[in-house]
Amino acid sequence: MFCGAALVLSGCVSTGADGGATTAMSDGAVTVGIIGDQPDGGDPADGGVLRFASYAPVRSLDPVKTQASGTTGGTELAAVYDVLVRYDAVKDEYEPRIAESLEESDDGLTWTLKLRDGITFSDGTPLDAAAVVASTERYNRLNGPDAQVFTDSVASVEAADPSTVVYTLNQPWRQFPAMLSLGHGMIVAPGAGEGADFTPIGAGPFTVKSLGQTTLELTAREDYWGGAPHLDGLSFVSIAGEKPKIDSLANGDIEMAYLRDPSYVDQATQQFPGYLHRYSLTDQIQLNSRPGRPGADERIRRAVQFALDPEAVNQRVDGGVGDPGTTIFPEWSKWHDAAQIGPAFDPDKARALVGEAKADGAATRLTYVSVQDERSKKYALTAEAMLENVGLTVDIDFVPTVTDMVRRLYVDHDYDIGYTALSLPDAAPYIRLYSALSSTSTNNSSGYRTEEMDALLAKIQQAPDEDAKRAAFAELQQQFTEHAPMVPMASGSNFVAWSPNVYGVTPTMDSVMLFDKAWIKK
């Protein structure tokens, strides 16, 4: 086993449902862990299909096309491919899964991974070091999520022998194991193919029965390396809206649901057991800084920053149950300190900036792209009122689905402003910050690119200890406050709720759930 530098969050550790631990702040609020009252389930029972209402339907089971996070298909991918290592958020430790061990060299430039013996893909071929190298090269060549941070940081990936993979880094990176718990750690079989010929062949506990527009059906593997799963299968279903998910869970129509709307997370944690995980930057206003857009003028970006009041948004949109704030890392995060100061709500300063920019010919009409769900609509209308109060004009363009929103912001860059979430886990915030802010990242949808930001990201990655990293994050916060590449609005929680008769679900990085030991009490 190999560990992080410290616990994810300081505070006490208590026992949660099914023997899981939780980490809490000094006021008792849980920050991460399995929570809720649930009786001892006794001995595991075999059989049954577990029905899970995901945050959004997965459209592809190719890891290069699907972000390996709890909100975007990571749980589905992990069921098919497993992961090289699992992250335990409560202990802040990376535990071997497909890997038997992972060790860092004294100089921090080499990580050596040993594989377990006898693991095979579902097509019967061996999962050996050559397969890991081939899957990694495929992932990077096809530009899978976070491929750029990997290729910028890793000089080489080599099979030293059939069971040993050596990762040589360009610079020390203490959080490198996080990459192997996400997409790069989901190993695709050599025979899987590419493009239209792709077949999801992995070493996970389940295989694909069918994939439709709104459902995914998986079947248990009897020859899974960790032993045959207790469940007969998994069924991932699409349910629009978080209240219908909670109702379906209460009625027994599903066994699990992924929730992130603060008001419904608050409701569900009072009603069901499940896994709670707090994140930084779950709410932010994204601004398009590309040439030809109003946000290319820094005065417009800063006007938006000063015009928005996170506290008022929390009251109007979430009934006061959210965690508003203008710092990237809130007080509960181990990366927060007093030096991280966000901008203050100041509509007068916003009006002055709008007037100044407008006098110089800057555009002040913004297209706000939003999904049509209940909370997003409230958010858009609240932001519209605040922005128009300082002299900006806002046109809201509602799109049908999260997929459409992603295309507008991250593919077509056809927007001026929009509500997004980076959802930074304390374990590995650098990966998503790099993806969103690096000059070389193709996932930099805001178009904000500066040498100063690139230097700050490098400082964060290479920080030798937590104090140095915290200081680098304070510099990043200063950059956000002075130049407004995006506007932090709130941190928040994701809650994966399950019915009281579900046991053995294991969380990993970014609220991805593992089901190899899961079972349903009859």
mmCIF file of all heavy atoms in Angstrom, residues 90-134:
data_model
loop_
_atom_site.group_PDB
_atom_site.id
_atom_site.type_symbol
_atom_site.label_atom_id
_atom_site.label_comp_id
_atom_site.label_asym_id
_atom_site.label_seq_id
_atom_site.Cartn_x
_atom_site.Cartn_y
_atom_site.Cartn_z
ATOM 1 N N VAL A 90 -11.001 8.851 2.537
ATOM 2 C CA VAL A 90 -10.979 9.039 3.980
ATOM 3 C C VAL A 90 -9.558 8.900 4.520
ATOM 4 O O VAL A 90 -9.093 9.702 5.325
ATOM 5 C CB VAL A 90 -11.927 8.035 4.673
ATOM 6 C CG1 VAL A 90 -11.800 8.129 6.186
ATOM 7 C CG2 VAL A 90 -13.366 8.299 4.251
ATOM 8 N N LYS A 91 -8.828 7.893 4.054
ATOM 9 C CA LYS A 91 -7.459 7.667 4.516
ATOM 10 C C LYS A 91 -6.429 8.460 3.727
ATOM 11 O O LYS A 91 -5.277 8.542 4.122
ATOM 12 C CB LYS A 91 -7.122 6.173 4.413
ATOM 13 C CG LYS A 91 -7.974 5.284 5.294
ATOM 14 C CD LYS A 91 -7.578 3.825 5.100
ATOM 15 C CE LYS A 91 -8.411 2.897 5.965
ATOM 16 N NZ LYS A 91 -8.050 1.465 5.734
ATOM 17 N N ASP A 92 -6.851 9.035 2.593
ATOM 18 C CA ASP A 92 -5.923 9.688 1.675
ATOM 19 C C ASP A 92 -4.818 8.724 1.270
ATOM 20 O O ASP A 92 -3.624 9.037 1.336
ATOM 21 C CB ASP A 92 -5.340 10.966 2.262
ATOM 22 C CG ASP A 92 -4.615 11.806 1.212
ATOM 23 O OD1 ASP A 92 -4.893 11.617 0.015
ATOM 24 O OD2 ASP A 92 -3.764 12.631 1.591
ATOM 25 N N GLU A 93 -5.234 7.528 0.858
ATOM 26 C CA GLU A 93 -4.298 6.491 0.440
ATOM 27 C C GLU A 93 -4.712 5.921 -0.913
ATOM 28 O O GLU A 93 -5.908 5.826 -1.218
ATOM 29 C CB GLU A 93 -4.253 5.347 1.457
ATOM 30 C CG GLU A 93 -3.676 5.727 2.798
ATOM 31 C CD GLU A 93 -3.683 4.569 3.769
ATOM 32 O OE1 GLU A 93 -4.232 3.493 3.439
ATOM 33 O OE2 GLU A 93 -3.144 4.757 4.875
ATOM 34 N N TYR A 94 -3.726 5.531 -1.707
ATOM 35 C CA TYR A 94 -3.972 4.811 -2.945
ATOM 36 C C TYR A 94 -3.711 3.339 -2.691
ATOM 37 O O TYR A 94 -2.626 2.955 -2.261
ATOM 38 C CB TYR A 94 -3.068 5.334 -4.065
ATOM 39 C CG TYR A 94 -3.436 6.727 -4.507
ATOM 40 C CD1 TYR A 94 -2.852 7.840 -3.898
ATOM 41 C CD2 TYR A 94 -4.387 6.940 -5.493
ATOM 42 C CE1 TYR A 94 -3.202 9.127 -4.271
ATOM 43 C CE2 TYR A 94 -4.742 8.224 -5.879
ATOM 44 C CZ TYR A 94 -4.145 9.308 -5.261
ATOM 45 O OH TYR A 94 -4.497 10.580 -5.638
ATOM 46 N N GLU A 95 -4.729 2.533 -2.941
ATOM 47 C CA GLU A 95 -4.634 1.105 -2.694
ATOM 48 C C GLU A 95 -4.542 0.356 -4.019
ATOM 49 O O GLU A 95 -5.224 0.698 -4.984
ATOM 50 C CB GLU A 95 -5.867 0.610 -1.926
ATOM 51 C CG GLU A 95 -6.056 1.278 -0.594
ATOM 52 C CD GLU A 95 -7.323 0.807 0.108
ATOM 53 O OE1 GLU A 95 -8.192 0.217 -0.567
ATOM 54 O OE2 GLU A 95 -7.429 1.044 1.307
ATOM 55 N N PRO A 96 -3.713 -0.695 -4.084
ATOM 56 C CA PRO A 96 -3.617 -1.478 -5.315
ATOM 57 C C PRO A 96 -4.942 -2.144 -5.670
ATOM 58 O O PRO A 96 -5.681 -2.596 -4.795
ATOM 59 C CB PRO A 96 -2.556 -2.527 -4.983
ATOM 60 C CG PRO A 96 -1.803 -1.973 -3.825
ATOM 61 C CD PRO A 96 -2.794 -1.170 -3.047
ATOM 62 N N ARG A 97 -5.240 -2.203 -6.957
ATOM 63 C CA ARG A 97 -6.388 -2.951 -7.466
ATOM 64 C C ARG A 97 -5.853 -3.975 -8.468
ATOM 65 O O ARG A 97 -5.464 -5.070 -8.095
ATOM 66 C CB ARG A 97 -7.394 -2.012 -8.137
ATOM 67 C CG ARG A 97 -8.207 -1.193 -7.179
ATOM 68 C CD ARG A 97 -9.351 -1.939 -6.560
ATOM 69 N NE ARG A 97 -10.395 -2.284 -7.514
ATOM 70 C CZ ARG A 97 -11.532 -2.883 -7.191
ATOM 71 N NH1 ARG A 97 -11.778 -3.194 -5.925
ATOM 72 N NH2 ARG A 97 -12.440 -3.158 -8.098
ATOM 73 N N ILE A 98 -5.808 -3.610 -9.746
ATOM 74 C CA ILE A 98 -5.126 -4.458 -10.719
ATOM 75 C C ILE A 98 -3.634 -4.486 -10.401
ATOM 76 O O ILE A 98 -2.967 -5.506 -10.546
ATOM 77 C CB ILE A 98 -5.385 -3.952 -12.148
ATOM 78 C CG1 ILE A 98 -6.860 -4.146 -12.516
ATOM 79 C CG2 ILE A 98 -4.495 -4.679 -13.155
ATOM 80 C CD1 ILE A 98 -7.236 -3.530 -13.842
ATOM 81 N N ALA A 99 -3.117 -3.348 -9.972
ATOM 82 C CA ALA A 99 -1.731 -3.294 -9.528
ATOM 83 C C ALA A 99 -1.586 -4.043 -8.209
ATOM 84 O O ALA A 99 -2.492 -4.050 -7.374
ATOM 85 C CB ALA A 99 -1.284 -1.858 -9.351
ATOM 86 N N GLU A 100 -0.435 -4.666 -8.030
ATOM 87 C CA GLU A 100 -0.098 -5.288 -6.750
ATOM 88 C C GLU A 100 0.631 -4.288 -5.863
ATOM 89 O O GLU A 100 0.507 -4.304 -4.639
ATOM 90 C CB GLU A 100 0.777 -6.518 -6.983
ATOM 91 C CG GLU A 100 1.084 -7.313 -5.748
ATOM 92 C CD GLU A 100 1.836 -8.594 -6.072
ATOM 93 O OE1 GLU A 100 3.010 -8.504 -6.484
ATOM 94 O OE2 GLU A 100 1.228 -9.684 -5.937
ATOM 95 N N SER A 101 1.398 -3.378 -6.496
ATOM 96 C CA SER A 101 2.108 -2.340 -5.756
ATOM 97 C C SER A 101 2.468 -1.204 -6.699
ATOM 98 O O SER A 101 2.487 -1.368 -7.919
ATOM 99 C CB SER A 101 3.381 -2.911 -5.108
ATOM 100 O OG SER A 101 4.300 -3.325 -6.109
ATOM 101 N N LEU A 102 2.753 -0.041 -6.114
ATOM 102 C CA LEU A 102 3.224 1.119 -6.872
ATOM 103 C C LEU A 102 4.174 1.883 -5.960
ATOM 104 O O LEU A 102 3.791 2.301 -4.865
ATOM 105 C CB LEU A 102 2.052 2.009 -7.286
ATOM 106 C CG LEU A 102 2.409 3.282 -8.058
ATOM 107 C CD1 LEU A 102 3.038 2.954 -9.407
ATOM 108 C CD2 LEU A 102 1.174 4.158 -8.250
ATOM 109 N N GLU A 103 5.420 2.076 -6.411
ATOM 110 C CA GLU A 103 6.416 2.698 -5.553
ATOM 111 C C GLU A 103 7.103 3.852 -6.268
ATOM 112 O O GLU A 103 7.403 3.777 -7.463
ATOM 113 C CB GLU A 103 7.448 1.667 -5.102
ATOM 114 C CG GLU A 103 6.849 0.554 -4.251
ATOM 115 C CD GLU A 103 7.904 -0.302 -3.587
ATOM 116 O OE1 GLU A 103 9.100 0.035 -3.738
ATOM 117 O OE2 GLU A 103 7.536 -1.291 -2.945
ATOM 118 N N GLU A 104 7.366 4.908 -5.505
ATOM 119 C CA GLU A 104 8.031 6.105 -5.995
ATOM 120 C C GLU A 104 9.519 6.027 -5.697
ATOM 121 O O GLU A 104 9.928 5.593 -4.611
ATOM 122 C CB GLU A 104 7.421 7.338 -5.316
ATOM 123 C CG GLU A 104 8.004 8.662 -5.756
ATOM 124 C CD GLU A 104 7.421 9.835 -4.982
ATOM 125 O OE1 GLU A 104 6.806 9.585 -3.925
ATOM 126 O OE2 GLU A 104 7.597 10.987 -5.427
ATOM 127 N N SER A 105 10.350 6.474 -6.630
ATOM 128 C CA SER A 105 11.800 6.509 -6.395
ATOM 129 C C SER A 105 12.155 7.645 -5.450
ATOM 130 O O SER A 105 11.351 8.564 -5.220
ATOM 131 C CB SER A 105 12.541 6.687 -7.717
ATOM 132 O OG SER A 105 12.208 7.937 -8.308
ATOM 133 N N ASP A 106 13.359 7.608 -4.908
ATOM 134 C CA ASP A 106 13.786 8.623 -3.947
ATOM 135 C C ASP A 106 13.792 10.022 -4.551
ATOM 136 O O ASP A 106 13.509 11.003 -3.863
ATOM 137 C CB ASP A 106 15.184 8.290 -3.416
ATOM 138 C CG ASP A 106 15.178 7.054 -2.526
ATOM 139 O OD1 ASP A 106 14.094 6.695 -2.025
ATOM 140 O OD2 ASP A 106 16.256 6.450 -2.348
ATOM 141 N N ASP A 107 14.116 10.118 -5.860
ATOM 142 C CA ASP A 107 14.168 11.442 -6.488
ATOM 143 C C ASP A 107 12.817 11.895 -7.033
ATOM 144 O O ASP A 107 12.690 12.997 -7.573
ATOM 145 C CB ASP A 107 15.223 11.484 -7.596
ATOM 146 C CG ASP A 107 14.931 10.509 -8.733
ATOM 147 O OD1 ASP A 107 13.854 9.873 -8.727
ATOM 148 O OD2 ASP A 107 15.792 10.372 -9.625
ATOM 149 N N GLY A 108 11.791 11.055 -6.891
ATOM 150 C CA GLY A 108 10.448 11.424 -7.314
ATOM 151 C C GLY A 108 10.220 11.384 -8.812
ATOM 152 O O GLY A 108 9.160 11.773 -9.295
ATOM 153 N N LEU A 109 11.173 10.869 -9.578
ATOM 154 C CA LEU A 109 11.070 10.886 -11.038
ATOM 155 C C LEU A 109 10.641 9.550 -11.632
ATOM 156 O O LEU A 109 10.376 9.481 -12.838
ATOM 157 C CB LEU A 109 12.416 11.302 -11.644
ATOM 158 C CG LEU A 109 12.829 12.756 -11.387
ATOM 159 C CD1 LEU A 109 14.227 13.013 -11.940
ATOM 160 C CD2 LEU A 109 11.821 13.720 -12.003
ATOM 161 N N THR A 110 10.555 8.506 -10.829
ATOM 162 C CA THR A 110 10.184 7.192 -11.347
ATOM 163 C C THR A 110 9.144 6.542 -10.445
ATOM 164 O O THR A 110 9.289 6.542 -9.217
ATOM 165 C CB THR A 110 11.413 6.269 -11.440
ATOM 166 O OG1 THR A 110 12.401 6.874 -12.261
ATOM 167 C CG2 THR A 110 11.030 4.918 -12.043
ATOM 168 N N TRP A 111 8.103 6.018 -11.060
ATOM 169 C CA TRP A 111 7.100 5.223 -10.356
ATOM 170 C C TRP A 111 7.098 3.830 -10.971
ATOM 171 O O TRP A 111 6.952 3.689 -12.192
ATOM 172 C CB TRP A 111 5.719 5.856 -10.468
ATOM 173 C CG TRP A 111 5.585 7.141 -9.715
ATOM 174 C CD1 TRP A 111 5.971 8.387 -10.121
ATOM 175 C CD2 TRP A 111 5.032 7.309 -8.409
ATOM 176 N NE1 TRP A 111 5.690 9.319 -9.163
ATOM 177 C CE2 TRP A 111 5.118 8.691 -8.096
ATOM 178 C CE3 TRP A 111 4.484 6.432 -7.471
ATOM 179 C CZ2 TRP A 111 4.654 9.205 -6.877
ATOM 180 C CZ3 TRP A 111 4.019 6.948 -6.272
ATOM 181 C CH2 TRP A 111 4.113 8.317 -5.980
ATOM 182 N N THR A 112 7.259 2.801 -10.134
ATOM 183 C CA THR A 112 7.314 1.420 -10.604
ATOM 184 C C THR A 112 6.067 0.673 -10.160
ATOM 185 O O THR A 112 5.781 0.565 -8.957
ATOM 186 C CB THR A 112 8.564 0.711 -10.060
ATOM 187 O OG1 THR A 112 9.731 1.425 -10.480
ATOM 188 C CG2 THR A 112 8.635 -0.725 -10.584
ATOM 189 N N LEU A 113 5.322 0.173 -11.137
ATOM 190 C CA LEU A 113 4.054 -0.520 -10.881
ATOM 191 C C LEU A 113 4.225 -2.013 -11.137
ATOM 192 O O LEU A 113 4.722 -2.419 -12.197
ATOM 193 C CB LEU A 113 2.965 0.050 -11.777
ATOM 194 C CG LEU A 113 1.560 -0.541 -11.642
ATOM 195 C CD1 LEU A 113 0.518 0.562 -11.775
ATOM 196 C CD2 LEU A 113 1.303 -1.608 -12.702
ATOM 197 N N LYS A 114 3.842 -2.814 -10.158
ATOM 198 C CA LYS A 114 3.846 -4.274 -10.296
ATOM 199 C C LYS A 114 2.408 -4.749 -10.454
ATOM 200 O O LYS A 114 1.527 -4.349 -9.689
ATOM 201 C CB LYS A 114 4.462 -4.928 -9.061
ATOM 202 C CG LYS A 114 5.972 -4.821 -8.975
ATOM 203 C CD LYS A 114 6.645 -5.837 -9.894
ATOM 204 C CE LYS A 114 8.149 -5.842 -9.669
ATOM 205 N NZ LYS A 114 8.813 -6.812 -10.578
ATOM 206 N N LEU A 115 2.164 -5.610 -11.442
ATOM 207 C CA LEU A 115 0.825 -6.141 -11.692
ATOM 208 C C LEU A 115 0.609 -7.455 -10.958
ATOM 209 O O LEU A 115 1.564 -8.215 -10.718
ATOM 210 C CB LEU A 115 0.635 -6.369 -13.195
ATOM 211 C CG LEU A 115 0.609 -5.122 -14.076
ATOM 212 C CD1 LEU A 115 0.741 -5.517 -15.540
ATOM 213 C CD2 LEU A 115 -0.662 -4.317 -13.845
ATOM 214 N N ARG A 116 -0.627 -7.741 -10.627
ATOM 215 C CA ARG A 116 -0.969 -9.047 -10.053
ATOM 216 C C ARG A 116 -0.813 -10.135 -11.118
ATOM 217 O O ARG A 116 -0.987 -9.884 -12.318
ATOM 218 C CB ARG A 116 -2.410 -9.041 -9.544
ATOM 219 C CG ARG A 116 -2.666 -8.039 -8.437
ATOM 220 C CD ARG A 116 -4.120 -8.064 -7.992
ATOM 221 N NE ARG A 116 -4.398 -6.979 -7.069
ATOM 222 C CZ ARG A 116 -4.227 -7.040 -5.754
ATOM 223 N NH1 ARG A 116 -3.770 -8.159 -5.212
ATOM 224 N NH2 ARG A 116 -4.505 -6.006 -4.981
ATOM 225 N N ASP A 117 -0.532 -11.319 -10.668
ATOM 226 C CA ASP A 117 -0.400 -12.455 -11.592
ATOM 227 C C ASP A 117 -1.772 -12.955 -12.022
ATOM 228 O O ASP A 117 -2.732 -12.936 -11.249
ATOM 229 C CB ASP A 117 0.357 -13.610 -10.924
ATOM 230 C CG ASP A 117 1.819 -13.279 -10.655
ATOM 231 O OD1 ASP A 117 2.367 -12.436 -11.394
ATOM 232 O OD2 ASP A 117 2.390 -13.845 -9.707
ATOM 233 N N GLY A 118 -1.866 -13.390 -13.266
ATOM 234 C CA GLY A 118 -3.020 -14.146 -13.730
ATOM 235 C C GLY A 118 -4.247 -13.339 -14.082
ATOM 236 O O GLY A 118 -5.314 -13.926 -14.333
ATOM 237 N N ILE A 119 -4.164 -12.034 -14.157
ATOM 238 C CA ILE A 119 -5.344 -11.241 -14.521
ATOM 239 C C ILE A 119 -5.539 -11.292 -16.032
ATOM 240 O O ILE A 119 -4.584 -11.132 -16.803
ATOM 241 C CB ILE A 119 -5.200 -9.782 -14.067
ATOM 242 C CG1 ILE A 119 -5.141 -9.721 -12.534
ATOM 243 C CG2 ILE A 119 -6.364 -8.933 -14.563
ATOM 244 C CD1 ILE A 119 -5.049 -8.328 -11.970
ATOM 245 N N THR A 120 -6.776 -11.521 -16.453
ATOM 246 C CA THR A 120 -7.094 -11.555 -17.877
ATOM 247 C C THR A 120 -8.218 -10.569 -18.196
ATOM 248 O O THR A 120 -9.034 -10.224 -17.329
ATOM 249 C CB THR A 120 -7.537 -12.954 -18.332
ATOM 250 O OG1 THR A 120 -8.737 -13.319 -17.623
ATOM 251 C CG2 THR A 120 -6.442 -13.985 -18.067
ATOM 252 N N PHE A 121 -8.231 -10.130 -19.443
ATOM 253 C CA PHE A 121 -9.362 -9.361 -19.955
ATOM 254 C C PHE A 121 -10.541 -10.308 -20.178
ATOM 255 O O PHE A 121 -10.386 -11.544 -20.158
ATOM 256 C CB PHE A 121 -8.985 -8.678 -21.262
ATOM 257 C CG PHE A 121 -7.921 -7.622 -21.126
ATOM 258 C CD1 PHE A 121 -6.612 -7.873 -21.542
ATOM 259 C CD2 PHE A 121 -8.217 -6.382 -20.589
ATOM 260 C CE1 PHE A 121 -5.635 -6.913 -21.427
ATOM 261 C CE2 PHE A 121 -7.244 -5.407 -20.463
ATOM 262 C CZ PHE A 121 -5.951 -5.669 -20.883
ATOM 263 N N SER A 122 -11.706 -9.728 -20.403
ATOM 264 C CA SER A 122 -12.900 -10.556 -20.584
ATOM 265 C C SER A 122 -12.843 -11.398 -21.857
ATOM 266 O O SER A 122 -13.612 -12.352 -22.002
ATOM 267 C CB SER A 122 -14.161 -9.687 -20.591
ATOM 268 O OG SER A 122 -14.102 -8.727 -21.627
ATOM 269 N N ASP A 123 -11.921 -11.080 -22.795
ATOM 270 C CA ASP A 123 -11.756 -11.921 -23.984
ATOM 271 C C ASP A 123 -10.723 -13.019 -23.772
ATOM 272 O O ASP A 123 -10.382 -13.753 -24.713
ATOM 273 C CB ASP A 123 -11.381 -11.075 -25.206
ATOM 274 C CG ASP A 123 -10.019 -10.403 -25.069
ATOM 275 O OD1 ASP A 123 -9.389 -10.518 -23.983
ATOM 276 O OD2 ASP A 123 -9.571 -9.761 -26.043
ATOM 277 N N GLY A 124 -10.209 -13.144 -22.537
ATOM 278 C CA GLY A 124 -9.274 -14.211 -22.205
ATOM 279 C C GLY A 124 -7.810 -13.870 -22.386
ATOM 280 O O GLY A 124 -6.952 -14.641 -21.976
ATOM 281 N N THR A 125 -7.495 -12.726 -22.976
ATOM 282 C CA THR A 125 -6.099 -12.348 -23.179
ATOM 283 C C THR A 125 -5.519 -11.787 -21.881
ATOM 284 O O THR A 125 -6.243 -11.250 -21.043
ATOM 285 C CB THR A 125 -5.960 -11.314 -24.309
ATOM 286 O OG1 THR A 125 -6.755 -10.158 -23.983
ATOM 287 C CG2 THR A 125 -6.431 -11.901 -25.626
ATOM 288 N N PRO A 126 -4.194 -11.904 -21.696
ATOM 289 C CA PRO A 126 -3.600 -11.490 -20.422
ATOM 290 C C PRO A 126 -3.499 -9.980 -20.281
ATOM 291 O O PRO A 126 -3.203 -9.268 -21.249
ATOM 292 C CB PRO A 126 -2.206 -12.125 -20.470
ATOM 293 C CG PRO A 126 -1.900 -12.250 -21.927
ATOM 294 C CD PRO A 126 -3.204 -12.559 -22.593
ATOM 295 N N LEU A 127 -3.728 -9.505 -19.062
ATOM 296 C CA LEU A 127 -3.459 -8.113 -18.750
ATOM 297 C C LEU A 127 -2.055 -8.070 -18.151
ATOM 298 O O LEU A 127 -1.862 -8.284 -16.956
ATOM 299 C CB LEU A 127 -4.479 -7.548 -17.764
ATOM 300 C CG LEU A 127 -4.495 -6.017 -17.620
ATOM 301 C CD1 LEU A 127 -5.801 -5.539 -17.000
ATOM 302 C CD2 LEU A 127 -3.327 -5.469 -16.822
ATOM 303 N N ASP A 128 -1.077 -7.841 -19.014
ATOM 304 C CA ASP A 128 0.312 -7.785 -18.590
ATOM 305 C C ASP A 128 0.874 -6.391 -18.827
ATOM 306 O O ASP A 128 0.140 -5.466 -19.220
ATOM 307 C CB ASP A 128 1.136 -8.848 -19.326
ATOM 308 C CG ASP A 128 1.024 -8.743 -20.845
ATOM 309 O OD1 ASP A 128 0.553 -7.691 -21.347
ATOM 310 O OD2 ASP A 128 1.412 -9.706 -21.540
ATOM 311 N N ALA A 129 2.159 -6.226 -18.561
ATOM 312 C CA ALA A 129 2.780 -4.908 -18.682
ATOM 313 C C ALA A 129 2.679 -4.369 -20.101
ATOM 314 O O ALA A 129 2.467 -3.171 -20.310
ATOM 315 C CB ALA A 129 4.239 -4.984 -18.234
ATOM 316 N N ALA A 130 2.827 -5.248 -21.092
ATOM 317 C CA ALA A 130 2.724 -4.803 -22.486
ATOM 318 C C ALA A 130 1.332 -4.251 -22.780
ATOM 319 O O ALA A 130 1.183 -3.262 -23.510
ATOM 320 C CB ALA A 130 3.054 -5.956 -23.434
ATOM 321 N N ALA A 131 0.306 -4.885 -22.208
ATOM 322 C CA ALA A 131 -1.062 -4.402 -22.410
ATOM 323 C C ALA A 131 -1.266 -3.042 -21.745
ATOM 324 O O ALA A 131 -1.957 -2.164 -22.289
ATOM 325 C CB ALA A 131 -2.058 -5.421 -21.854
ATOM 326 N N VAL A 132 -0.680 -2.832 -20.573
ATOM 327 C CA VAL A 132 -0.795 -1.538 -19.897
ATOM 328 C C VAL A 132 -0.123 -0.455 -20.730
ATOM 329 O O VAL A 132 -0.681 0.638 -20.923
ATOM 330 C CB VAL A 132 -0.171 -1.606 -18.483
ATOM 331 C CG1 VAL A 132 -0.119 -0.220 -17.856
ATOM 332 C CG2 VAL A 132 -0.958 -2.553 -17.597
ATOM 333 N N VAL A 133 1.073 -0.740 -21.231
ATOM 334 C CA VAL A 133 1.783 0.234 -22.063
ATOM 335 C C VAL A 133 0.978 0.547 -23.322
ATOM 336 O O VAL A 133 0.814 1.713 -23.705
ATOM 337 C CB VAL A 133 3.189 -0.274 -22.422
ATOM 338 C CG1 VAL A 133 3.847 0.645 -23.457
ATOM 339 C CG2 VAL A 133 4.054 -0.368 -21.172
ATOM 340 N N ALA A 134 0.446 -0.491 -23.975
ATOM 341 C CA ALA A 134 -0.322 -0.292 -25.207
ATOM 342 C C ALA A 134 -1.586 0.528 -24.935
ATOM 343 O O ALA A 134 -1.946 1.417 -25.719
ATOM 344 C CB ALA A 134 -0.684 -1.641 -25.823
#
